[in-house]
Amino acid sequence: MNTLANRSTNPLFGPNKMKLGVFGPNLSYGCAITLAEGTFKTDWQSCRTVGLLADAAGLEALVPVARWKGFGGSTNFNGSSFESYSWAAGLAAITSYTAVLATCHVSTIHPVMAAKQITTIDHISGGRFALNVVCGGGGFAAEAPMFGFDKQEHDLAYEYADEWLDVMCRLWTADEPFDYEGGFFKLRSLYQEPKPVQRPYPGIMNAGGSTVGQRFAAKHSDMAFVRLSKGEVKEQVDQFRRVAREEFGREIQVWGNAYVVCRPTEKEARDYLHYYVVEKGDWEAAQNVTRGMGGVQGLSPEAFEDLKFQLIAGWGGYPLVGTAEQITSELKRLSSLGIDGCLLNWVNYEAELRQWNEEVMPLLEQAGLRRPFKHTSQAA
């Protein structure tokens, strides 16, 4: 959908070979389903601190999770959360480099309202906003009745999202009022001023996992996600880029997400991973998370237990577990397979993000994955 245009204000379109973001710093426990000490708390000071730490280090993105109720268990995982548009606006006002995103279940908000909110945050940030579009997502089936409807059927949800984005993009670019006649939206006299700072409009992020979802991401998104694994990354990356290029004439970035456990030795890292997952993990909440996921019924008992382990460790992300040098080596390998960016999460966001900035970022620069960064304003 988006083409190359004036997005020089947004670091998501910058030159670093391995772009980085923080995932989930807007809700309780972040991405780790554990009772271990130091998990993320839903208060503005915590959000502010993590946002400023990411900004000071030159990370490209702050990506929230859209959540309306928790997953139960002893943690009621993600049961406390900040609404992502408001959260993004607040962080946009106090940061100066990092892109701030909102994560939006498209069925929960009208596209005319969303277009205006996004434009407002794009102006607050000086052109550093992007939107993470969610068409359904794990857990939303239990939340949809809060909005007065049931979760949409899978393919229909993507058809709806296609129109939803089309309405917004036309609002961001149209010079004259227009009517819109679609299968889901019949709207009259549409128009918006001001237009976004970024032209033609802010970037789009999407994590479609199914065949339909991947095609949607290839058509619409600037940053598309693949599930990182040891053996299939290059094939997934090549497939995404081929569909985007051949069917839609577009070039896209391909991202993954990962949980980080960085310690002085690999043994210490793996011991801590065992501690917060096996000893302190909320396995009941992880079981509840799986109920909103498709495709788990066919898993073997061993694979199902491994899935719950990875969910507890960091929302099913890729394990970056070991020393700073090992983590750098693994990110370099992922980059060589075509991965452009990675969203990161930790158990203790503040302490471990400080460690990341001090120990890992210099190694990533030395490895040629990132350029040296000098921040121009006061950080946390």
Side-chain angles (χ1 to χ4, degrees):
M1 185 181 286
N2 288 331
T3 56
L4 290 176
N6 183 14
R7 289 168 165 177
S8 59
T9 53
N10 194 325
L12 286 169
F13 302 98
N16 282 324
K17 288 182 64 177
M18 177 57 73
K19 297 173 176 64
L20 299 171
V22 181
F23 187 41
N26 71 308
L27 70 178
S28 56
Y29 298 93
C31 296
I33 314 177
T34 180
L35 290 162
E37 302 79 4
T39 52
F40 194 80
K41 305 296 187 241
T42 317
D43 59 70
W44 184 246
Q45 182 57 46
S46 297
C47 296
R48 181 180 185 277
T49 298
V50 169
L52 290 175
L53 284 168
D55 197 53
L59 271 64
E60 279 78 10
L62 291 161
V63 182
V65 175
R67 184 66 63 219
W68 308 99
K69 63 169 62 174
F71 288 99
S74 54
T75 58
N76 191 28
F77 178 61
N78 289 173
S80 175
S81 65
F82 288 130
E83 186 277 322
S84 68
Y85 284 95
S86 307
W87 176 90
L91 287 177
I94 62 172
T95 54
S96 61
Y97 177 80
T98 301
V100 290
L101 287 87
T103 296
C104 182
H105 291 95
V106 298
S107 56
T108 66
I109 185 170
H110 195 281
V112 174
M113 173 64 80
K116 181 68 79 170
Q117 289 176 297
I118 291 165
T119 297
T120 302
I121 303 171
D122 202 41
H123 279 262
I124 292 171
S125 68
R128 292 180 291 116
F129 183 80
L131 181 67
N132 181 25
V133 173
V134 181
C135 302
F140 186 64
E143 298 172 322
M146 296 175 67
F147 294 89
F149 54 80
D150 293 327
K151 181 181 176 182
Q152 291 176 311
E153 184 272 327
H154 180 272
D155 291 3
L156 190 67
Y158 282 100
E159 293 175 18
Y160 180 91
D162 188 85
E163 276 194 24
W164 188 88
L165 277 173
D166 191 31
V167 170
M168 289 205 304
C169 292
R170 290 185 63 181
L171 280 165
W172 288 328
T173 57
D175 294 325
E176 300 291 338
F178 64 95
D179 296 339
Y180 189 92
E181 190 80 20
F184 300 95
F185 296 103
K186 294 174 175 56
L187 311 172
R188 300 291 176 263
S189 300
L190 294 171
Y191 189 67
Q192 178 187 293
E193 284 290 346
K195 304 304 184 189
V197 173
Q198 298 174 80
R199 297 302 177 91
Y201 32 76
I204 303 295
M205 180 178 281
N206 179 255
S210 65
T211 300
V212 171
Q214 289 178 356
R215 192 171 185 276
F216 175 89
K219 178 181 179 182
H220 292 291
S221 67
D222 300 287
M223 288 74 60
F225 279 81
V226 296
R227 182 173 178 81
L228 299 178
S229 65
K230 290 291 183 183
E232 301 174 353
V233 173
K234 191 174 189 310
E235 291 82 355
Q236 292 182 77
V237 171
D238 290 347
Q239 172 67 11
F240 247 130
R241 291 212 167 98
R242 183 164 49 251
V243 173
R245 204 173 281 139
E246 295 178 0
E247 294 194 33
F248 304 108
R250 307 181 62 249
E251 296 296 330
I252 61 172
Q253 297 177 26
V254 182
W255 286 51
N257 71 292
Y259 61 88
V260 179
V261 183
C262 183
R263 295 295 186 270
T265 68
E266 181 180 355
K267 182 180 185 304
E268 289 175 274
R270 298 206 172 278
D271 285 348
Y272 182 67
L273 176 64
H274 182 275
Y275 168 74
Y276 85 82
V277 174
V278 177
E279 298 179 34
K280 289 288 190 175
D282 185 350
W283 290 81
E284 180 184 353
Q287 177 79 25
N288 293 339
V289 170
T290 66
R291 291 174 183 161
M293 302 173 67
V296 299
Q297 291 79 9
L299 294 178
S300 68
E302 295 79 10
F304 188 55
E305 289 304 303
D306 182 66
L307 171 64
K308 288 190 288 186
F309 183 101
Q310 301 303 331
L311 286 169
I312 293 171
W315 202 239
Y318 187 78
L320 292 177
V321 180
T323 65
E325 290 79 10
Q326 288 174 313
I327 289 171
T328 299
S329 177
E330 192 60 19
L331 286 173
K332 189 171 183 179
R333 186 186 76 85
L334 292 173
S335 176
S336 73
L337 297 175
I339 296 297
D340 298 296
C342 193
L343 293 184
L344 309 173
N345 63 83
W346 303 262
V347 172
N348 187 322
Y349 278 69
E350 181 178 341
E352 294 183 89
L353 180 52
R354 289 183 189 277
Q355 178 198 26
W356 178 275
N357 292 349
E358 294 170 2
E359 299 180 14
V360 183
M361 291 294 276
L363 296 180
L364 296 175
E365 292 177 9
Q366 293 172 24
L369 295 177
R370 298 182 62 83
R371 297 184 179 187
F373 178 78
K374 183 177 181 180
H375 199 259
T376 57
S377 65
Q378 185 174 358

